[in-house]
């Protein structure tokens, strides 16, 4: 049960400020998470506000300020290290965490309930699998 998947590097997360990926949860459903900088390391949180089903990172990076993730809908801010929110509509809630580990600057997904699918959001997965995808059909 200690399988781990390489995601990206700590350096990349710190440069880009958030790194979006899609995984399959324990029920076989696709979900999204974001890696965000926390001090010198990174943390991973579900890419969805606790107030309403609003994504933080919609594919262009999450809004961040002073070590906090800003919800684009009503502006609640979540601490990147603890996932906790003490303000606005989402006050007194904590984001669900996804387990990751860092070894030699490389970030690995270590969550037993999450299987890595691909970088980016759920809608970007259609590019590589999905028989319904038409995005690569040329004329
Ligand atoms: S949806 Fe995030 S604060 Fe309301």
């Amino acid at each position: 049960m200690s399988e781990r998947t390489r995601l990206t590097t700590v350096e990349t997360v710190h440069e880009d400020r958030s790194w979006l990926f899609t995984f399959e949860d324990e029920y076989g459903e696709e979900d999204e998470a974001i890696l965000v900088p926390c001090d010198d390391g990174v943390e991973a949180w579900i890419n969805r506000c606790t107030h309403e089903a609003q994504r933080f990172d919609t594919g262009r990076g999450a809004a961040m300020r002073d070590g906090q993730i800003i919800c684009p809908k009503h502006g609640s801010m979540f601490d990147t290290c603890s996932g906790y929110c003490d303000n606005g509509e989402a006050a007194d809630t904590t984001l669900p965490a996804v387990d990751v580990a860092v070894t030699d600057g490389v970030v690995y997904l270590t969550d037993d309930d999450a299987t890595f699918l691909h970088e980016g959001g759920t809608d970007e997965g259609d590019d590589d699998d999905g028989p319904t995808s038409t995005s690569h059909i040329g004329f």
Side-chain angles (χ1 to χ4, degrees), residues 18-35:
S18 66
W19 195 86
L20 176 67
F21 68 96
T22 299
F23 65 93
E24 186 178 284
D25 68 15
E26 72 258 57
Y27 308 108
E29 300 287 336
E30 286 192 6
D31 207 348
E32 295 176 1
I34 47 171
L35 293 173

Side-chain angles (χ1 to χ4, degrees), residues 87-115:
N87 57 87
E89 301 280 3
D92 276 330
T93 62
T94 302
L95 297 172
V98 176
D99 294 339
V100 293
V102 173
T103 306
D104 294 333
V106 176
V107 187
Y108 296 91
L109 178 64
T110 57
D111 201 309
D112 286 339
D113 296 329
T115 306

Side-chain angles (χ1 to χ4, degrees), residues 61-127:
M64 310 266 290
R65 189 169 63 219
D66 299 334
Q68 305 206 291
I69 305 161
I70 307 168
C71 174
K73 194 156 186 183
H74 304 116
S76 280
M77 300 199 291
F78 298 79
D79 187 276
T80 60
C81 292
S82 67
Y84 183 69
C85 173
D86 66 1
N87 57 87
E89 301 280 3
D92 276 330
T93 62
T94 302
L95 297 172
V98 176
D99 294 339
V100 293
V102 173
T103 306
D104 294 333
V106 176
V107 187
Y108 296 91
L109 178 64
T110 57
D111 201 309
D112 286 339
D113 296 329
T115 306
F116 179 74
L117 292 178
H118 54 82
E119 184 177 347
T122 51
D123 45 352
E124 288 165 52
D126 293 344
D127 280 357

Side-chain angles (χ1 to χ4, degrees), residues 16-68:
D16 297 352
R17 294 166 28 133
S18 66
W19 195 86
L20 176 67
F21 68 96
T22 299
F23 65 93
E24 186 178 284
D25 68 15
E26 72 258 57
Y27 308 108
E29 300 287 336
E30 286 192 6
D31 207 348
E32 295 176 1
I34 47 171
L35 293 173
V36 289
C38 162
D39 300 330
D40 292 336
V42 300
E43 293 289 341
W45 308 105
I46 295 293
N47 184 34
R48 190 164 51 247
C49 188
T50 51
H51 176 225
E52 288 174 11
Q54 169 66 47
R55 298 156 87 203
F56 298 122
D57 185 338
T58 57
R60 278 179 244 99
M64 310 266 290
R65 189 169 63 219
D66 299 334
Q68 305 206 291

Side-chain angles (χ1 to χ4, degrees), residues 2-15:
S2 58
E3 211 172 289
R4 37 192 241 163
T5 310
R6 184 191 190 282
L7 297 177
T8 183
T9 62
V10 172
E11 196 182 347
T12 302
V13 177
H14 280 252
E15 273 171 13

